[in-house]
């Protein structure tokens, strides 16, 4: 157990809808990263938040957005869902925002878009 | 652009065998390399993290090595057990803090 929790565990949406996924960081961690893992693939970096500011973004369109709250929990929002957004969404927390911190992953949210 | 490749994509071995999983990366400018385990439909469990200044890390039956100059890492599993069956992912930590993952090696250990 890493102490990182995600909700919900599973979610089914239809194309065009919007979805919000949530992540609660490990105690004391101020950095959250989000990853998308399609079936049979490695996770792909979406973005990272450090002390409530986005400080890194991968190759994802603007309809993928996020928030980090003062308690360092985080949300991932996806608008105008597409079939290809079906994936396991993972969040990872760490302390310090540096490039050498160990990231601890949550169990993920499985999103299915029909 | 950093690319991470894992070979083989899948591996099946009998219980008790020692095995090696391979990971290669194209850009040696990394901060560290991490090996993860992923059970079907689950999140990632960190196994070993090797900083760029280190050559290897060990934990129990697992040993990971890193050769930055050649862009390679190996994960050695000794005396494999059926409970080791999972997908193993390697990831390099890059500028900006993001992890870049390989596609994983799916390991099956037969009793």
């Amino acid at each position: 157990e890493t102490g990182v929790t995600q909700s919900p565990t599973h979610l089914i949406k239809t194309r065009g809808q919007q979805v919000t996924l949530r992540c609660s960081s490990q105690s004391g961690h101020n950095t959250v990263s989000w990853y998308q893992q399609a079936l049979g693939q490695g996770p792909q970096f979406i973005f990272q938040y450090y002390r409530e500011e986005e400080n890194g973004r991968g190759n994802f369109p603007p309809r993928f957005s996020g928030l980090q709250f003062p308690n360092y929990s985080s949300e991932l929002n996806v608008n105008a869902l597409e079939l290809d957004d079906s994936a396991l969404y993972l969040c990872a927390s760490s302390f310090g925002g540096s490039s050498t911190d160990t990231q601890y992953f949550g169990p993920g949210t499985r999103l299915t878009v029909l | 652009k950093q690319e991470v490749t894992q070979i083989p994509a899948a591996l099946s071995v009998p219980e008790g065998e020692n095995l090696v999983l391979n990971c290669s990366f194209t850009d040696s400018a990394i901060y560290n390399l991490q090996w993860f385990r992923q059970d079907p439909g689950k999140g990632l469990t960190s196994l070993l993290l090797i900083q760029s200044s280190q050559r290897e890390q060990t934990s129990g039956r697992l040993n990971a090595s890193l050769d930055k100059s050649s862009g390679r890492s190996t994960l050695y599993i000794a005396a494999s057990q059926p409970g080791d069956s999972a997908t193993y992912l390697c990831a390099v930590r890059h500028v900006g803090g993001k992890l870049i993952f390989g596609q994983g090696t799916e390991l099956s250990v037969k009793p």
Side-chain angles (χ1 to χ4, degrees), chain A residues 35 37 41-42 98-99 101 103, chain B residues 31 38 43 93 97 99 102-103:
Chain A
Y35 293 82
Q37 186 179 23
Q41 304 293 317
S98 82
S99 295
D101 301 329
Q103 294 189 346
Chain B
Y31 289 103
Q38 186 173 35
R93 194 73 176 272
L99 287 171
Q103 291 191 312

Side-chain angles (χ1 to χ4, degrees), chain B residues 22-100:
Chain B
N22 296 292
C23 173
S24 62
F25 47 95
T26 55
D27 185 348
S28 62
I30 63 171
Y31 289 103
N32 56 48
L33 183 145
Q34 201 164 356
W35 283 92
F36 293 89
R37 170 188 171 133
Q38 186 173 35
D39 293 294
K42 304 294 186 183
L44 306 181
T45 300
S46 179
L47 298 174
L48 291 164
L49 182 147
I50 312 176
Q51 300 293 353
S52 62
S53 58
Q54 298 176 318
R55 297 283 296 192
E56 66 177 330
Q57 284 286 333
T58 298
S59 176
R61 295 183 293 109
L62 305 180
N63 176 275
S65 68
L66 174 63
D67 184 342
K68 251 182 54 170
S69 61
S70 67
R72 294 179 184 178
S73 176
T74 61
L75 178 67
Y76 174 82
I77 303 177
S80 58
Q81 304 171 356
D84 295 330
S85 298
T87 295
Y88 290 81
L89 294 153
C90 75
V92 297
R93 194 73 176 272
H94 220 248
V95 172
K98 67 179 179 181
L99 287 171
I100 300 174

